[in-house]
Amino acid sequence: MASLALSFPPAAAKTPSYLSSSSSTVFSSSLSFTTSQSHSRNSVFASIKCDLGNGNPSIPIINERTLPKFLESARMEKSANRSNNNTRLKLFSGTANPALSQEIAWYMGLDLGKIKIKRFADGEIYVQLEESVRGCDVYLVQPTCTPTNENLMELLIMVDACRRASAKKVTAVIPYFGYARADRKTQGRESIAAKLVANLITEAGADRVLACDLHSGQSMGYFDIPVDHVYCQPVILDYLASKSIAAEDLVVVSPDVGGVARARAFAKKLSDAPLAIVDKRRSGHNVAEVMNLIGDVKGKVAVMVDDMIDTAGTIVKGAALLHQEGAREVYACCTHAVFSPPAIERLSGGLLQEVIVTNTLPVAEKNYFPQLTILSVANLLGETIWRVHDDSSVSSIFL
């Protein structure tokens, strides 16, 4: 029997410098750009800039700030209650992205719950909670990324274990929701796998789902339980604000017609930047062919926005078209770095000034390349979990 037992350092361990002040972090949604060389930032974020010189990512330290008054006062009022309620909130991690789970625990000031996860020789998964969760509000952090089916099954068994251990509420925290692209029928006799997965999670016993940047908002309707949709745009917007790009030089680009609503919302936060659309025609799954561009990008800094990068065909062909149309620089921004082959070869080919992603999925070190920047969404998820636990507003984070 193969064993994959999880072991994490206690929360009392020293927090990395880039997370030391994260408990006072709020993600700004409204940003403005200036031409000033000395750009003053009013936000804090954690990022990893890949540096292949020494083989390790370097982490820049950014200016700090305190919470706005409407959040700071609420947190001060609830700080005592939170310390008393810590024993009623339990946070567990699956094996898909334990690093993100640990960062969330650091932000929340909690220890990750003790859990044993094993793989039997025939591939079956064994889960045992090694501490009591009776009457507790339990949060299970498990993106259903590659290997998708194993991680999904692991999540279902974790939910079942919590339910059978008499947890009061079980919330599945799914930073990346696998099968989200199978959200409708485009041809006859196709399955709608996103609905099937939603049914599986619900029937396993989850009371709530917390997911990041679903491929389409309609996926929330597939669940018969509450879904908190966490938008990671503020983390990327916060990072872009540090680049001192003049507002008149920016243009936000949707890589396809289906992403126009996402790109329009992103552009509105970037000083209401103009919008361009890449007209894309697919000849098959994971195969994209760019046809033409709607909008003007000549002499501008183009920011392509998508929910995920899989094989990178859409992004790279779009970037090539933008350069042909006269774009000065092209940035690619996405929440989920799926990076299926040959994504790394395409993204590191020189067409993109920078590829900005988040850590909703773990990015293997072998997939680092010089243009890659990884931003942490741990603070955002940690704050969302606290608000769900406290029965507070989640949507106000993104206002």
Side-chain angles (χ1 to χ4, degrees):
M1 178 176 67
S3 174
L4 290 176
L6 298 181
S7 177
F8 299 99
K14 184 177 179 181
T15 302
S17 57
Y18 70 96
L19 289 174
S20 59
S21 60
S22 58
S23 60
S24 61
T25 301
V26 167
F27 300 96
S28 171
S29 298
S30 180
L31 304 171
S32 60
F33 289 79
T34 66
T35 55
S36 170
Q37 292 298 322
S38 58
H39 184 81
S40 176
R41 300 190 58 233
N42 292 323
S43 52
V44 62
F45 57 86
S47 68
I48 298 177
K49 181 66 178 177
C50 295
D51 180 4
L52 300 185
N54 54 20
N56 295 316
S58 59
I59 302 173
I61 306 302
I62 311 301
N63 298 337
E64 302 174 3
R65 77 164 181 188
T66 58
L67 290 169
K69 290 183 179 179
F70 79 97
L71 288 177
E72 192 166 310
S73 59
R75 179 167 296 213
M76 290 175 65
E77 292 172 3
K78 294 183 178 181
S79 59
N81 293 333
R82 283 185 172 179
S83 62
N84 293 332
N85 290 336
N86 279 356
T87 56
R88 312 307 299 172
L89 189 155
K90 299 286 187 179
L91 184 68
F92 292 92
S93 174
T95 60
N97 196 350
L100 175 60
S101 303
Q102 183 63 82
E103 287 188 39
I104 295 171
W106 273 328
Y107 172 83
M108 300 179 69
L110 300 174
D111 291 329
L112 281 174
K114 296 178 181 178
I115 185 171
K116 181 187 292 182
I117 300 175
K118 295 181 179 180
R119 300 287 196 275
F120 289 98
D122 63 353
E124 292 181 4
I125 301 170
Y126 171 84
V127 173
Q128 180 189 21
L129 304 177
E130 296 188 317
E131 59 184 76
S132 174
V133 296
R134 184 178 298 274
C136 293
D137 192 2
V138 178
Y139 293 82
L140 306 174
V141 183
Q142 175 81 341
T144 53
C145 52
T146 304
T148 305
N149 298 330
E150 280 202 20
N151 287 330
L152 174 59
M153 193 64 197
E154 183 179 305
L155 173 63
L156 298 176
I157 297 174
M158 290 170 66
V159 171
D160 183 70
C162 292
R163 180 58 60 204
R164 295 178 186 280
S166 301
K168 183 178 180 180
K169 290 193 297 184
V170 180
T171 300
V173 181
I174 311 175
Y176 171 72
F177 183 68
Y179 289 103
R181 285 173 284 184
D183 56 3
R184 64 192 184 280
K185 292 181 69 172
T186 58
Q187 301 178 48
R189 300 175 296 282
E190 284 186 333
S191 70
I192 304 178
K195 171 59 176 171
L196 172 62
V197 173
N199 288 343
L200 289 171
I201 294 171
T202 303
E203 291 302 319
D207 297 291
R208 178 182 293 269
V209 167
L210 195 158
C212 294
D213 282 341
L214 293 169
H215 186 65
S216 60
Q218 69 201 40
S219 297
M220 289 187 286
Y222 295 157
F223 290 88
D224 296 324
I225 54 178
V227 177
D228 289 301
H229 194 188
V230 178
Y231 300 94
C232 297
Q233 277 188 0
V235 179
I236 298 174
L237 288 165
D238 197 28
Y239 176 75
L240 288 174
S242 68
K243 293 192 168 295
S244 303
I245 305 172
E248 59 270 18
D249 290 339
L250 275 171
V251 59
V252 175
V253 181
S254 173
D256 54 34
V257 176
V260 171
R262 182 187 304 109
R264 184 186 295 118
F266 197 88
K268 187 175 181 181
K269 303 294 178 60
L270 285 180
S271 302
D272 206 13
L275 183 67
I277 304 168
V278 175
D279 179 27
K280 177 188 68 176
R281 308 291 172 89
R282 286 191 183 275
S283 58
H285 293 297
N286 293 330
V287 178
E289 182 180 0
V290 172
M291 301 299 292
N292 50 47
L293 179 70
I294 304 170
D296 181 27
V297 299
K298 188 173 183 179
K300 293 183 178 292
V301 176
V303 180
M304 300 185 72
V305 180
D306 209 348
D307 63 318
M308 69 177 71
I309 297 178
D310 189 355
T311 59
T314 297
I315 291 291
V316 171
K317 290 183 179 181
L321 178 64
L322 293 173
H323 281 294
Q324 290 174 13
E325 296 293 329
R328 191 170 79 239
E329 292 179 346
V330 180
Y331 289 81
C333 302
C334 83
T335 301
H336 308 300
V338 180
F339 289 173
S340 302
I344 303 305
E345 292 78 3
R346 290 172 171 173
L347 293 172
S348 58
L351 289 172
L352 296 163
Q353 180 75 15
E354 191 170 0
V355 179
I356 304 166
V357 301
T358 72
N359 62 342
T360 55
L361 285 78
V363 180
E365 190 169 341
K366 66 179 182 179
N367 289 334
Y368 288 173
F369 53 95
Q371 297 91 345
L372 179 65
T373 298
I374 304 171
L375 307 179
S376 177
V377 296
N379 298 357
L380 185 61
L381 288 172
E383 183 62 28
T384 302
I385 291 172
W386 267 130
R387 290 180 181 227
V388 172
H389 178 66
D390 290 342
D391 294 323
S392 301
S393 171
V394 172
S395 60
S396 60
I397 298 175
F398 310 104
L399 295 178

